[in-house]
Amino acid sequence: MTHPAHPSAPTPPNGADRTLPRTIRDTLPLALDVAIEVAKLNGVCIRPIELRRFDTHTGTNEPFDIPCGTTSEAKCPPCAQRNKQLRKAQCREGWHLATEPIAEPQPSTADQRWLIEFRADVQAKRDAAERDGEDLTDWDEAITGIDAEINAAGMRGTVTGGRSTPRRSRSTRRRQDAPDLPKRARQNTTLGRTFVTSDGRVFRPSLFVTLTLPSYGKIRSGQGVPVDPASYDYAAAARDALHFSKLVDRFVQNLRRVAGYDVQYFATVEPQKRFAPHLHMAIRGTLPRAEIKAIAAATYHQVWWPAVDEVRFEGEHLPIWDERDEQAEPYPDGQAGDYLDPATGELLPTWEEALDRLDQDEDAEPLHVVRFGAQIDVQGLLAGSPDAHKRIGYLTKYLTKSLGDPLDLDEDEQEEEAGPARAAINQGRRDHAARLVEALRYEPCSPTCANWLRYGIQPKEAKPGMMPGRCRSKAHKGEHLGYAGRRVLVSRKWSNKTLRDHKADRRAWVLDMLGLPDDDTATDPHRYIWRPVSAKDPTRTPLAVRLLRGVANRHRTRARLDELRARADGRPLTNLSATTALGEAA
């Protein structure tokens, strides 16, 4: 019989008391797990990246931990939540603006104008050398150097602008099965209409729009799984998800044509229960609901890609990579060889050749046409209203989760289901996601996708080792379910701030509250040298120590903020944290 240890008996330094029964020891939490849990509760990154800062003035090295910065809650909840709060601030700041958030370009300086004149002279000499058939290498290198100096002098973009290669043109004629769009005269503004009441009050409403994809088959209510998986159109669902970002771009273009002003938006792409992506969009300004629905109905995107209805290579019968001879034939852009038919040795057509054949075929049809579904929700909102605040939270609700997560229903949705019924629903959702991933497996996701080899076409920028069904794009992974685009879409004139600017605003606020100087401006920018610490470095600080260090720093920062708030409100400093109390006692 095992007796409990005496209370005065020392506990082993490397674990729990070994005299306790094993069944009890196994129920005790691991110290590292508790440290991770405490870090989460305090908003500290649980995957900190360790850097060492070398001071060139004093010759000392200091360790610093920076957050991993992930947006996925499954990887690091504190960092994901921090990014979510930044997105909320970004959405809130630009939604209901009453003044134009446009920064006027600064006037050019004499040095900038001289550089442009010098660039013009060099370009003229380069053109003359080209006419005379001379070698242009030196001239091109000189022009590249001058362009770099132009950007360093405080000018954006390039002098020539435009694309380096011509865009492949397509017919701009609208499809006969798409309704025409109304048009308004263009106004140079990013603000919407205002409405004035009889008593002189001015209202500037904005819109919250939700757009979805069409139906692919009947879905069980509240579960998101098809009633009949055999009749569910997984191929169309996969292609719609792959090209959903292009459809959103077309909608924004059509919206601006109809609205007559430079419409600004903050949009997020979220997963539906059926795992199809749909769009939530905050729009500055307002349009009639009927027009928004008409714009969505008239929006489409045609995918002009080669046909994929004939499988030419699969299983063990796959194309063979043939390395090119650089001396005999120059390499095309990004491609150093060709794929051959293993049976005949025939070269497979390149991506550009396949598109040329498609252009020459007068009866060709697009591979796929993406459209929005019939479910369109349009709501008008006013600045500062509870509904507007609620919609900001709704816009960012699922930003910390992937499109394929969670596969299980939320606990609130499972209250009415219990036991075997709940397990059956969750298993059905997993099976539904698995079938969609399988439909995406051999579907080409981009011109560079390895799946084109399955249909006898060399991918763009082909390289050795490519195999159909093994494309590394995230579109084919279960976490994304076909959608590989950005989850947050923000127009450039939304608030005239980038996400980095919003981070800088929060940092400046904290430093100001703590009464600390901004190191970026108060110190020499060349004083410190930052170096990452390799995972193989024997002197690397253990993760547990870094977590404890982060929690202690967070406690000190919060205690200092609480102290400053108490002094500003005239309250007594009675609720000091343990860390602050220890510091004052010392």
Side-chain angles (χ1 to χ4, degrees):
M1 180 177 179
T2 304
H3 297 281
H6 192 274
S8 62
T11 301
N14 295 327
D17 189 349
R18 295 296 180 181
T19 61
L20 292 174
R22 184 179 183 86
T23 55
I24 296 179
R25 293 203 311 268
D26 290 345
T27 61
L28 300 178
L30 294 174
L32 180 58
D33 292 343
V34 177
I36 294 175
E37 182 181 358
V38 170
K40 291 179 181 178
L41 294 175
N42 285 272
V44 176
C45 175
I46 62 174
R47 303 191 313 165
I49 301 172
E50 186 176 11
L51 299 178
R52 292 210 179 108
R53 188 180 73 176
F54 177 73
D55 191 336
T56 57
H57 290 186
T58 63
T60 58
N61 265 313
E62 293 182 273
F64 280 87
D65 298 325
I66 62 173
C68 65
T70 183
T71 59
S72 174
E73 192 174 27
K75 296 178 180 178
C76 180
C79 286
Q81 289 298 324
R82 193 176 299 113
N83 281 295
K84 183 177 178 179
Q85 294 302 321
L86 280 173
R87 289 299 189 182
K88 283 185 176 182
Q90 186 181 33
C91 179
R92 186 183 302 108
E93 188 166 332
W95 198 354
H96 303 282
L97 291 181
T99 57
E100 293 287 352
I102 302 175
E104 293 294 333
Q106 300 175 357
S108 61
T109 64
D111 291 340
Q112 292 173 343
R113 292 191 293 271
W114 181 87
L115 275 173
I116 297 298
E117 293 175 352
F118 181 54
R119 174 69 166 79
D121 294 338
V122 175
Q123 182 68 44
K125 294 178 180 179
R126 191 261 184 203
D127 294 341
E130 185 178 13
R131 288 193 300 269
D132 296 339
E134 299 178 6
D135 186 13
L136 304 177
T137 303
D138 293 339
W139 289 113
D140 290 338
E141 291 179 355
I143 288 175
T144 301
I146 297 172
D147 288 341
E149 292 184 18
I150 287 174
N151 293 137
M155 288 178 277
R156 294 180 293 127
T158 60
V159 178
T160 56
R163 295 169 56 91
S164 58
T165 57
R167 185 188 298 271
R168 187 178 291 270
S169 61
R170 294 287 181 189
S171 174
T172 57
R173 185 177 61 181
R174 288 187 59 80
R175 294 179 61 90
Q176 297 299 318
D177 54 358
D180 293 331
L181 288 168
K183 295 183 179 179
R184 287 190 176 92
R186 180 75 175 181
Q187 298 180 8
N188 187 23
T189 179
T190 66
L191 307 178
R193 295 184 299 168
T194 58
F195 300 87
V196 183
T197 61
S198 58
D199 58 356
R201 290 191 300 171
V202 179
F203 292 92
R204 191 184 297 274
S206 296
L207 292 178
F208 180 79
V209 179
T210 301
L211 301 174
T212 62
L213 287 171
S215 173
Y216 310 110
K218 192 174 181 180
I219 295 293
R220 296 187 186 276
S221 177
Q223 300 181 18
V225 298
V227 175
D228 181 17
S231 61
Y232 192 82
D233 195 348
Y234 282 99
R239 291 180 180 178
D240 280 356
L242 288 170
H243 304 285
F244 185 69
S245 59
K246 296 294 185 182
L247 183 66
V248 174
D249 291 342
R250 296 293 183 273
F251 175 77
V252 173
Q253 294 172 9
N254 293 337
L255 179 65
R256 287 173 172 167
R257 291 192 186 105
V258 174
Y261 69 99
D262 192 2
V263 177
Q264 300 301 301
Y265 59 90
F266 179 98
T268 58
V269 179
E270 309 292 358
Q272 289 184 291
K273 287 184 180 179
R274 56 175 179 159
F275 300 126
H278 72 302
L279 185 78
H280 296 306
M281 177 177 284
I283 299 175
R284 187 190 305 151
T286 185
L287 288 173
R289 288 179 172 83
E291 286 193 0
I292 296 293
K293 294 182 178 181
I295 294 170
T299 299
Y300 63 89
H301 171 64
Q302 300 183 107
V303 184
W304 286 99
W305 281 358
V308 293
D309 51 355
E310 179 185 357
V311 178
R312 290 191 55 188
F313 303 99
E314 61 180 340
E316 299 296 330
H317 181 65
L318 295 176
I320 301 174
W321 174 259
D322 179 50
E323 195 79 23
R324 287 193 177 187
D325 185 356
E326 186 176 4
Q327 301 298 329
E329 186 176 359
Y331 292 176
D333 294 340
Q335 189 166 329
D338 286 295
Y339 277 97
L340 312 176
D341 187 323
T344 64
E346 178 185 2
L347 286 175
L348 301 184
T350 64
W351 173 254
E352 294 296 330
E353 291 172 348
L355 290 185
D356 290 340
R357 295 179 184 178
L358 187 63
D359 292 340
Q360 296 168 5
D361 186 359
E362 297 181 355
D363 299 327
E365 294 290 336
L367 174 66
H368 187 63
V369 180
V370 195
R371 289 187 174 92
F372 289 113
Q375 294 183 357
I376 301 173
D377 183 61
V378 183
Q379 301 177 18
L381 301 170
L382 293 175
S385 65
D387 286 342
H389 179 74
K390 183 179 180 180
R391 292 301 177 272
I392 292 175
Y394 198 69
L395 273 164
T396 58
K397 182 178 180 181
Y398 293 106
L399 285 184
T400 60
K401 300 183 182 296
S402 63
L403 290 175
D405 186 37
L407 293 178
D408 296 346
L409 292 176
D410 296 335
E411 292 183 1
D412 295 340
E413 300 171 318
Q414 297 183 14
E415 289 181 355
E416 299 180 359
E417 303 290 344
R422 179 185 303 176
I425 293 174
N426 290 335
Q427 185 59 47
R429 290 175 59 79
R430 296 190 189 97
D431 294 341
H432 176 50
R435 287 190 291 268
L436 184 56
V437 172
E438 183 61 27
L440 288 162
R441 181 180 179 185
Y442 293 109
E443 191 68 36
C445 63
S446 68
T448 59
C449 182
N451 286 337
W452 286 113
L453 293 174
R454 178 179 174 87
Y455 309 104
I457 299 172
Q458 295 193 63
K460 187 177 181 179
E461 301 178 4
K463 53 188 176 182
M466 304 180 79
M467 294 182 64
R470 297 187 182 180
C471 177
R472 296 183 178 180
S473 170
K474 64 181 183 180
H476 299 281
K477 298 179 180 179
E479 295 83 4
H480 301 274
L481 295 178
Y483 181 78
R486 291 177 290 120
R487 294 287 300 277
V488 181
L489 312 171
V490 186
S491 55
R492 294 187 177 182
K493 300 176 185 177
W494 176 253
S495 63
N496 208 30
K497 286 184 179 180
T498 63
L499 199 60
R500 179 177 295 179
D501 295 331
H502 287 284
K503 291 180 181 179
D505 290 344
R506 295 188 62 167
R507 181 176 183 272
W509 180 86
V510 173
L511 291 175
D512 181 65
M513 288 291 295
L514 295 175
L516 300 175
D518 190 342
D519 292 338
D520 291 342
T521 58
T523 61
D524 180 6
H526 303 291
R527 175 176 178 177
Y528 298 109
I529 299 176
W530 297 84
R531 292 191 179 94
V533 180
S534 172
K536 299 180 180 179
D537 191 337
T539 63
R540 187 185 187 190
T541 307
L543 174 61
V545 176
R546 285 182 279 148
L547 293 178
L548 296 176
R549 190 163 57 195
V551 171
N553 290 336
R554 182 57 57 91
H555 282 175
R556 284 193 294 269
T557 301
R558 285 180 176 172
R560 180 59 176 164
L561 288 174
D562 291 341
E563 179 185 351
L564 293 173
R565 289 194 183 102
R567 289 178 178 175
D569 298 339
R571 294 184 284 106
L573 306 178
T574 56
N575 297 324
L576 294 178
S577 67
T579 305
T580 306
L582 288 174
E584 291 184 351

